Each structure stands twice: as C-alpha cells, then as structure tokens.
C-alpha cells in the first residue's frame, strides 16, 4: 500500500508540473550556474557527470554540457544569469569511442527543450542510424516519471514535442533535408562521416530567437571521433584552435574511467601509461567517476593494436590504416629548424608538373651524412613553366645542384616541339628524370622515413605545410584493400615531388646521350 501511495503522489506531482507548464510556467527554476545545473541533472534525471578531466589539456564531459546549456555564455562571479560573450556558442566535441558524446548530445537536447520554451533543435548525424541513437537516448530520458508528463502527445520515430512547444527532430543526411531547416540549434553527431556538401549547406540552417525569457543564439555543435587524416573533423578541430570560431572540448577514455579501487595495482595495470594513477586520485578526492569501468577499458585495449587505440580511444592522432606512408610521423619528422649540416650541405629540388592541378617544387638540403631535410615548398596552379623555372633559380634558399622531375616531362609539346625537361635544361638547370615505378619510389621514401636501423634520414620543416598534409593524407582506396595504386585526390602532387627527388638522390643516376 505504501508503494501505491508513493506512486500516486509521483503521478500527481508530474500532472501538476504539466499543468504549470501548459500555463507558461516552467515546473523547475532554471539553473543559473554550472553547479546548479550539475545538481539538477543529479536530482531530477539521476545523472552524475565527471566535472574534471584526468588528462592535462582535456575537458570534462560536463564542460560541454554546461557550455551547451548556457549557450556559450560566461557566468559572472555572483552566480547570476549567463552573460553572452562575443565568442561563438558553436562547439566541437572530439571524444573517444564510447566516450558518451552521443548520450551527452541527447541530454543537452533534453535540457534545451525543458528550459527554453519554443526552441527548435534538429539532430543530424553521419548516418540516419547514428542520428537514431541520439534520438533513442532522448526518448528514453523523457520516459522517466519526472519528465514523461512534459511530452505532448506520443513521440514519433523522428519527432518529439513538449507541452511548452519546444521540439526536437531528426534530419536525414541530404541536401533537401538540411536546406529546408531553420532552427535554433543543430546538433551534428559523427561529423567525420558527413558528406562535405551537406555539411556546407548545414552552416546556414540556424536562427537566433527568444525562447521564453532566454535568448538562444543560432548554434551548431559537432561531436565525433577523428578517423581520417585531414578530414572534416581534423579541419574543425584545427579551426577551433587557430581561429577560435568554435569552442573545443576534447576527452579520451582516461577522462571517463570509472571508479578505480584497490583491486587494481597501478604498477601492473595495462592502463598505467595513459592513466598514471590519476583515476585513483580522483576517487580519493570524492569526485564523480566516469561511465567506462576499468575492466572494460582493459579489455578494449587488449583487443586492438596501438594505432587504433591511440586514434579511437586516446584521441592522439587520426587512424592511418589506409595511408600510403604510415612511417611518416609529424612528431618525429617535422622540425622547427634546419641548422644541422652547416655549409657542407648540397641543395636539390623535386618537382611535379601541373597546370590545372598545382605544380609542386620542393627544396631539400642534403648534409654530409646523406640526411635530407626539406626546407621550402612552392605549390602553385595555373602558372606556365617559365615562372616555375624562374622561382627555382631565385626564390629558393640556394641554386639547386639538380632538379628531380617526373619522367613524363620528357614528352614534347605539340606547339613548341620541346619537352618540359628540355625547356628546363635550356634555362640552365640540371634536370634528373630517372624512370621508376611508383611503388619502388615510395619504398625509397619509406626507407628514409623509417630505416631498418638508425634514426630517420628525412625531415620536413614545419613551414612546408602542404607537404606535411599530403604525407599524412596520401592513401590507398579504402573500398579496394587489394589495390596498390594510391588515390589521386590532390594529396599526391607534393608526395610525387618528394618521390622524384628521393629516387634521383638514392637510386643513382645514369646519363644518356640522345640525338634530339
């Protein structure tokens, strides 16, 4: 009988909340500080989130939730209402697989619907199935007794509406779906899988609005792991850091680890390199633990290789499974200075011809030990060969001993009767055009990046941004794992220039005399 009476009381309280809301009055006082928001989630939703990160430079999952709820505003010292700052409320969440980002997107949506009457929120994901995961969490949240009476009617498979006229709806990954949208908030899950044209169209979907007594700026939130080198998520993370156009929140599996008791010994734990005992320190301070049990994290790490673990769970760098040159590691091969080698260095160039596609020229210094350091790059489209020849002679750090080029440059022009190689030689340049298969040339590059013994014999100055990007991005087709032919997506040009340089440097050169 007691349980039945308690149930009736809860139903009565829920009905009272719905009646108050129908009359335009929110049944709860809107949280004004991050602390009040955390307490409300705990007391009403039964959810407790970590409020501190365990890895330096990372964010706690609750940091994103507070940013989304307060629309990017900054709370004043007195704990009053958020003050809207000039900074964009847009955000990027870079989190590990299983890091809770999809669930947090659902919680953030629920909070918007409850406390911002008439708001429109749309959920867009890399696939409809992924969007349904977010929406599934959202529907489950509103099935709880504290919240279910706030839902107007019966939720459909793609739309949920509350009594206060706030709405959430799924969008499909299509131009038509996105272009017809005008909402206050667009939440994008797994943006790494977005079609680039759909993503561009999505940037024009938001509109600011007063929702009750809350001003809600038009906002786009992006949540994803990072799978692809120099893909969409990479660009968003980089722009967030360089331009401040979006607030960046990053966390990995360590930041969401569960309680770590005495049954786990740090000295013998496989997570020690990542965690370093910080999970135990958090528990000792009484801070909220994450949602990934230690046992699960240990099991996950034991199942995958180092590269997958670093990319998918730690957020160290994108996975490079299909990369042509996985030996390249920016942390090892990219340098800030090229002071080594002294005056004894010899300057050489590599060149990949292009007209509509860019022509790429690389300047490299070879020291007495044979170590090659790429110091400068020139990447220009739409210029005639004469301009590039002039640049090689005047724009580089020194006149090159020789220029390694594509052997296809021997082909004569129908108009001039001369080949690009002949034109360059006529201009006084020494040109090497050794013919070699693509894979054989790439093997020579790999041997310099990661020799069988000893340190690398190839480095790249940080200023050579296009070459660095191309080395990271150059890949084999993911849908044809049997193929050894790299994808020609624009990242091949700079790598080809490097390949022509290296194959003419390392494979020797043979002079041939021909009658022209």
């Amino acid at each position: 009988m007691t349980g039945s009476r308690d149930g009736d009381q809860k139903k009565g309280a829920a009905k009272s909340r719905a009646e108050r809301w129908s009359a335009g009055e929110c049944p709860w006082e809107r949280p004004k500080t991050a602390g009040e928001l955390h307490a409300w989630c705990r007391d009403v939703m039964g959810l407790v989130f970590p409020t501190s990160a365990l890895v330096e430079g990372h964010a706690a999952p609750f940091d994103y939730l507070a940013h989304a709820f307060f629309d990017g505003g900054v709370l004043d010292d007195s704990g009053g209402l958020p003050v809207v700052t000039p900074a964009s409320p847009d955000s990027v969440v870079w989190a590990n697989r299983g890091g809770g980002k999809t669930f947090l997107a659902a919680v953030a949506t629920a909070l918007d619907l409850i406390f911002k009457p008439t708001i429109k929120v749309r959920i867009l994901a890399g696939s409809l199935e992924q969007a349904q995961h977010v929406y599934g969490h959202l529907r489950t949240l509103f099935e709880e007794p504290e919240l279910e009476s706030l839902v107007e009617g019966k939720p459909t498979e793609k739309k949920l509406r509350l009594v206060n006229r706030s709405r959430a709806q799924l969008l499909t990954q299509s131009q038509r779906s996105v272009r017809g949208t005008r909402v206050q908030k667009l939440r994008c899950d797994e943006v790494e899988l977005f079609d680039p044209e759909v993503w561009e169209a999505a940037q024009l979907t938001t509109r600011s609005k007063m929702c009750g007594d809350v001003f809600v700026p038009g906002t786009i939130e992006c949540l994803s792991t990072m799978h692809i080198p120099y893909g969409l998520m990479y660009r968003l993370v980089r722009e967030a850091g360089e331009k401040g156009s979006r607030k960046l929140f990053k966390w990995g599996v360590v930041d969401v680890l569960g309680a770590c008791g005495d049954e786990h010994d740090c000295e013998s734990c496989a997570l020690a390199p990542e965690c370093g005992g910080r999970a135990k320190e958090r528990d000792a301070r009484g801070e909220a633990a994450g949602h990934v049990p230690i046992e699960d994290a240990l099991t996950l790490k034991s199942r995958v290789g180092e590269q997958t673990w670093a990319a998918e769970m730690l957020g160290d760098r994108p996975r490079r499974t299909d990369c042509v040159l996985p030996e390249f590691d920016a942390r090892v091969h990219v340098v800030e200075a090229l002071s080594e080698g002294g005056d004894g260095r010899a300057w050489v160039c590599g060149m990949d011809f292009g007209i509509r596609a860019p022509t790429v020229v690389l300047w490299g210094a070879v020291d007495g030990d044979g170590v090659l350091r790429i110091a400068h790059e020139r990447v220009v489209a739409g210029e005639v060969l004469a301009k590039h020849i002039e640049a090689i002679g005047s724009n580089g750090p020194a006149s090159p001993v020789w220029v390694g080029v594509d052997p296809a440059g021997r082909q004569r022009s129908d108009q001039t009767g001369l080949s690009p190689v002949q034109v360059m030689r006529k201009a006084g340049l020494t040109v090497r055009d050794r013919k070699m298969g693509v894979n054989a040339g790439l093997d020579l590059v790999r041997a310099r990046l990661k020799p069988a013994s000893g340190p690398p014999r190839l480095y790249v100055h940080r200023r050579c941004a296009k070459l660095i990007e191309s080395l990271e991005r150059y890949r084999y087709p993911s849908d044809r794992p049997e193929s050894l032919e790299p994808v020609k997506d624009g990242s091949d040009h700079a790598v080809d220039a490097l390949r022509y340089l290296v194959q003419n440097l390392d494979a020797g050169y043979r002079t041939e005399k021909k009658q022209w």
Side-chain angles (χ1 to χ4, degrees), residues 408-434:
R410 299 174 185 171
Q411 298 175 1
R412 299 188 185 194
S413 167
D414 293 336
Q415 282 74 36
T416 65
L418 296 174
S419 70
V421 169
Q422 285 177 291
V423 173
M424 294 175 70
R425 286 173 176 162
K426 276 180 158 302
L429 295 174
T430 299
V431 181
R432 293 186 174 185
D433 55 356
R434 181 181 179 89

Side-chain angles (χ1 to χ4, degrees), residues 123-145:
I123 300 167
L124 179 65
S127 66
L128 180 59
E129 181 181 6
Q130 184 64 33
Q132 288 171 335
H133 289 323
V134 182
Y135 186 65
H137 287 309
L138 180 64
R139 289 184 61 174
T140 300
L141 289 170
F142 280 101
E143 289 171 359
E144 294 297 320

Side-chain angles (χ1 to χ4, degrees), residues 454-493:
R457 300 175 62 248
L458 171 59
Y459 297 93
V460 181
H461 195 284
R462 188 169 298 280
R463 72 170 70 94
C464 302
K466 188 61 181 180
L467 176 59
I468 294 169
E469 176 181 337
S470 297
L471 287 166
E472 290 266 14
R473 190 174 177 178
Y474 197 38
R475 62 185 179 86
Y476 294 112
S478 57
D479 58 341
R480 291 188 291 120
E482 74 283 358
S483 175
L484 292 178
E485 182 178 345
V487 175
K488 291 187 173 295
D489 61 355
S491 60
D492 50 309
H493 303 301

